[in-house]
Amino acid sequence: MRLNLVQTAVLVTFLPFTLPQQIASDPGRGGASLEVVHLYNDLFPVGVAVSSNGRKFSTYSRSLDPNNVAYTVAELVSNTTERPYPSADINSPPGGAINYTTTPPSGANYPDYFIGAQGVAIDSKDRLWILDTGRAATPEGVNVLSTPGGPKLIGIDLTNDTIFQTILFPPTVAFADSFINDIRFDLRSSVTSSGKGVAYITDSSQEGRNGIIIVDLGTGESWRHLDNIPEVRAERGFLPFIWGEVVYSLPGPGQPINFAGNFGADGIALSADGETLFWTAVGPRTLYSIPTERLRDRSLTSEIMAQASVVSRGEKGISDGLETDSNGLIYAGNFEDNAVNIFNPANGTVQVFARDPRIGWTDTFAVATDGYVYFNENQLWRTKSYYPGTDRRVKPYVLFRAKCPGNGTKVNLQ
């Protein structure tokens, strides 16, 4: 017997009489006003980053949309156009992002080309960093496994648009089925013996182990913590509702539907003082944190100590990306309420920051030095990876921004 899920509209009618008063209803809008910054009419965006002089960059996941072939990193050069960044060449691996000479096909292993960019961020020195998963999806939607040389972190000097550093992840840190997703930086010299700072990365794998990856930017060494503990994994049986639609995942052609909590540790944010790391999975709704010193520790008992230091900060709504401003406020999406919420670590409360019918799947956040928080709306739950398996997205996708409260601005950790 085949299961048929039907979206049903219910028409409410009333007997013909005059209502003596208005009935209360949801206003649908509130809080900060949203400004449209950019309309994406071409490829499907995920990440966003904004430099100190207003340059804007986006990443385009080849794992989440196999149509993102032309480029996987771009600079937004007008309100409606993008160009491959830093060049079209680096976005186009020889033979493509997928190596079809292996069985099964695998991600190309070029360390000098972008295979499948996902995370993007600008650090406190105004340098752009690209997080490359080393993975891409076939036209049928199968996300191939990575091979060494593909998963990497690439630093770009925005003064001359050239690469100044490439850090390759070993297969013991970024597994073949890892999905390295979002990234945050702490450039304080005191946090590592190299004095160059660290990066914190989420592994959101849908097939494998989730966790937090730490990178010493001076030595290029990387390691994992919180490997596959419950707090970094998606919640079994998690079922969200977005824009009045029930959201089931569809793992692949011919496969049965599943619950939609299928991304592990995803959004990530550093406290304004760099001493605490926050993260969330896409399902459940819980925000977690850990002291960053526990993540930087590589001693014999460091994993035991790290696991013992994880703190639940309570629910904040379903969200993908996270971000912090200079006031220490944590921005998080709230898909089910068409909203962006704020978590205040100072008192442990959550407040609605902005509510708007145009908000759905808020992907990545970026607080810029201009005092605005930027975020992409990309309708991810309407891709073929979710029931009913058809592409129901409606272009353009949108980059919004809103003014940070209390004169908040970009966190400066250096």
Side-chain angles (χ1 to χ4, degrees):
M1 181 178 181
R2 185 176 177 181
L3 176 65
N4 231 345
L5 299 180
V6 180
Q7 300 284 347
T8 305
V10 178
L11 179 64
V12 179
T13 59
F14 296 93
L15 295 175
F17 68 91
T18 303
L19 292 174
Q21 60 192 60
Q22 287 191 334
I23 298 174
S25 63
D26 185 345
R29 296 177 185 268
S33 298
L34 304 187
E35 300 177 21
V36 175
V37 177
H38 186 83
L39 299 178
Y40 301 91
N41 287 292
D42 192 6
L43 302 189
F44 170 79
V46 285
V48 63
V50 183
S51 73
S52 63
N53 63 358
R55 295 177 71 182
K56 301 171 186 66
F57 305 88
S58 280
T59 50
Y60 305 80
S61 175
R62 286 174 171 156
S63 291
L64 300 177
D65 191 337
N67 296 313
N68 285 348
V69 175
Y71 48 84
T72 186
V73 181
E75 181 171 6
L76 313 185
V77 293
S78 77
N79 292 337
T80 56
T81 57
E82 307 99 42
R83 66 179 172 212
Y85 184 84
S87 68
D89 181 63
I90 196 174
N91 279 271
S92 304
I98 298 177
N99 180 3
Y100 285 99
T101 67
T102 62
T103 304
S106 58
N109 63 348
Y110 297 108
D112 300 324
Y113 291 86
F114 295 145
I115 308 303
Q118 186 72 21
V120 59
I122 290 177
D123 67 20
S124 296
K125 293 185 177 180
D126 214 35
R127 304 177 299 183
L128 181 71
W129 295 87
I130 305 297
L131 189 61
D132 191 343
T133 66
R135 303 180 68 183
T138 66
E140 296 74 32
V142 177
N143 194 18
V144 303
L145 302 181
S146 69
T147 53
K152 54 189 171 285
L153 177 61
I154 297 177
I156 301 176
D157 185 340
L158 292 178
T159 65
N160 54 22
D161 299 323
T162 60
I163 294 172
F164 68 87
Q165 187 174 12
T166 299
I167 297 175
L168 301 180
F169 296 108
T172 53
V173 173
F175 311 125
D177 59 2
S178 283
F179 191 63
I180 49 178
N181 194 332
D182 211 348
I183 186 166
R184 293 294 179 261
F185 293 88
D186 184 349
L187 303 185
R188 294 177 296 165
S189 61
S190 61
V191 297
T192 61
S193 57
S194 70
K196 300 297 183 181
V198 295
Y200 302 96
I201 298 167
T202 49
D203 185 344
S204 307
S205 178
Q206 295 176 281
E207 312 99 324
R209 287 143 61 185
N210 304 123
I212 306 295
I213 296 172
I214 304 90
V215 185
D216 185 322
L217 299 175
T219 65
E221 294 178 284
S222 57
W223 59 96
R224 296 177 69 99
H225 269 311
L226 308 181
D227 206 34
N228 224 34
I229 67 172
E231 291 87 349
V232 299
R233 293 195 59 78
E235 180 181 288
R236 185 167 67 91
F238 182 80
L239 184 65
F241 300 81
I242 309 175
W243 286 4
E245 300 169 3
V246 61
V247 182
Y248 285 99
S249 71
L250 194 62
Q255 297 187 35
I257 64 172
N258 204 342
F259 293 101
N262 52 0
F263 286 103
D266 193 320
I268 191 171
L270 270 173
S271 60
D273 61 5
E275 299 303 312
T276 305
L277 186 80
F278 298 86
W279 77 89
T280 185
V282 182
R285 301 172 178 85
T286 310
L287 181 68
Y288 294 100
S289 71
I290 188 173
T292 52
E293 64 175 338
R294 296 271 62 89
L295 297 174
R296 297 192 301 270
D297 186 3
R298 302 181 68 184
S299 66
L300 180 63
T301 61
S302 59
E303 177 62 13
I304 293 174
M305 295 295 290
Q307 291 188 23
S309 301
V310 172
V311 176
S312 170
R313 299 300 186 108
E315 293 195 356
K316 39 73 187 145
I318 310 170
S319 50
D320 189 325
L322 300 173
E323 177 63 304
T324 315
D325 69 15
S326 57
N327 291 320
L329 302 176
I330 310 293
Y331 297 83
N334 182 1
F335 299 171
E336 292 180 303
D337 202 31
N338 303 70
V340 172
N341 288 352
I342 287 178
F343 172 74
N344 186 349
N347 58 26
T349 63
V350 175
Q351 301 292 331
V352 176
F353 169 64
R355 192 154 182 259
D356 190 293
R358 296 171 294 179
I359 295 176
W361 192 293
T362 306
D363 202 304
T364 302
F365 289 93
V367 170
T369 56
D370 61 8
Y372 284 86
V373 56
Y374 293 75
F375 56 93
N376 277 331
E377 290 291 334
N378 62 14
Q379 305 169 52
L380 179 59
W381 87 97
R382 289 182 156 186
T383 64
K384 292 182 179 180
S385 296
Y386 294 88
Y387 184 85
T390 56
D391 190 347
R392 298 177 297 122
R393 295 170 294 176
V394 179
K395 294 180 181 179
Y397 314 115
V398 188
L399 172 61
F400 288 110
R401 76 173 187 177
K403 193 69 175 175
C404 296
N407 296 316
T409 187
K410 184 180 178 70
V411 171
N412 185 15
L413 287 172
Q414 62 176 317

